[in-house]
Amino acid sequence: MYDKLGIDPGEKPIALEDLPNLTVPEDLAAVEDLIDTLQECRESAETELRMRHRHGTRHLCVMAEPLLDSKGLPVKPRFLVQDVTRGRCRERSMARVQAQAVRQEERALEQQRVSDHLQAVILPAEELARLGGDFFKARRLGEDKVLPAVGDAMGHGLAAAGLMLQLRAGPAGPSYTGEPARDLPELRFPAR
């Protein structure tokens, strides 16, 4: 009992009235209710409390009953205390992991919703399957030069179309910067 409450076994026994001094402030009402149930109502009580311990806060499951004299007056309480700190820590960790998973799932659903909406706006569903990654583009480079670009982002659907849009934008650089088109590298991407 001393170990669970973080008290040196050489100290005097703990008085019932000392329990609030060992309890975290948020659980004071539960301690006061426990004491009142034992002393005033003279009934057994069960609760969970967080106690300040020399090794940190401990979660204790407390079961107590009053020992009564021949006149029915409380003489002293009898306690059974179980340290449930490890279990509560696991529960908090699991709750954090579950909350994170829920947030990730919500984020994925929102991304899918936006993707579906954009897909519906851009192309009707029956045309999406035919959407490919082929492209061609011609960009004027000054008065008498043109930069032709032809390419294929392999595949079909939104992924191929997205890659095609990125590749198609590449040849536009020289027309904005004035750099020679011959300096553009040939882009090759591995097949997926």
Side-chain angles (χ1 to χ4, degrees):
M1 185 71 162
Y2 281 90
D3 183 54
K4 287 179 177 29
L5 296 175
I7 297 171
D8 187 344
E11 294 185 27
K12 64 178 182 163
I14 304 161
L16 193 57
E17 294 77 23
D18 292 336
L19 278 181
N21 299 330
L22 303 172
T23 307
V24 298
E26 297 83 6
D27 289 354
L28 283 177
V31 170
E32 290 167 1
D33 185 51
L34 174 72
I35 293 171
D36 186 54
T37 301
L38 292 171
Q39 288 184 331
E40 302 300 323
C41 301
R42 301 175 190 154
E43 296 174 355
S44 298
E46 183 177 338
T47 190
E48 188 170 316
L49 303 170
R50 288 170 293 169
M51 307 298 271
R52 292 189 299 250
H53 191 281
R54 66 179 175 268
H55 299 300
T57 301
R58 308 304 294 172
H59 293 256
L60 303 178
C61 183
V62 178
M63 291 162 269
E65 65 179 0
L67 296 177
L68 307 176
D69 65 13
S70 59
K71 296 178 183 173
L73 298 174
V75 178
K76 62 182 176 179
R78 183 179 356 207
F79 279 84
L80 176 61
V81 177
Q82 181 180 9
D83 189 338
V84 293
T85 305
R86 189 173 292 162
R88 296 302 173 256
C89 290
R90 270 194 306 270
E91 288 171 5
R92 282 195 306 273
S93 294
M94 290 300 292
R96 280 194 297 270
V97 168
Q98 185 177 11
Q100 185 178 21
V102 166
R103 284 193 302 272
Q104 288 175 343
E105 184 178 357
E106 288 171 350
R107 202 173 312 131
L109 289 172
E110 179 63 17
Q111 288 174 350
Q112 184 63 46
R113 188 190 66 74
V114 170
S115 175
D116 291 346
H117 177 70
L118 288 174
Q119 182 178 327
V121 169
I122 294 171
L123 283 176
E126 62 273 2
E127 292 182 25
L128 184 62
R130 295 189 319 237
L131 184 63
D134 300 343
F135 70 92
F136 62 91
K137 183 174 187 162
R139 180 64 80 168
R140 175 180 266 171
L141 298 175
E143 292 294 319
D144 58 346
K145 294 181 184 172
V146 173
L147 171 64
V150 178
D152 180 13
M154 292 177 62
H156 289 82
L158 284 179
L163 182 56
M164 177 268 298
L165 289 173
Q166 293 173 17
L167 293 173
R168 204 177 101 171
S175 67
Y176 296 117
T177 64
E179 291 294 317
R182 69 179 175 275
D183 292 342
L184 277 176
E186 181 179 337
L187 299 175
R188 291 193 183 272
F189 293 92
R192 292 185 197 179

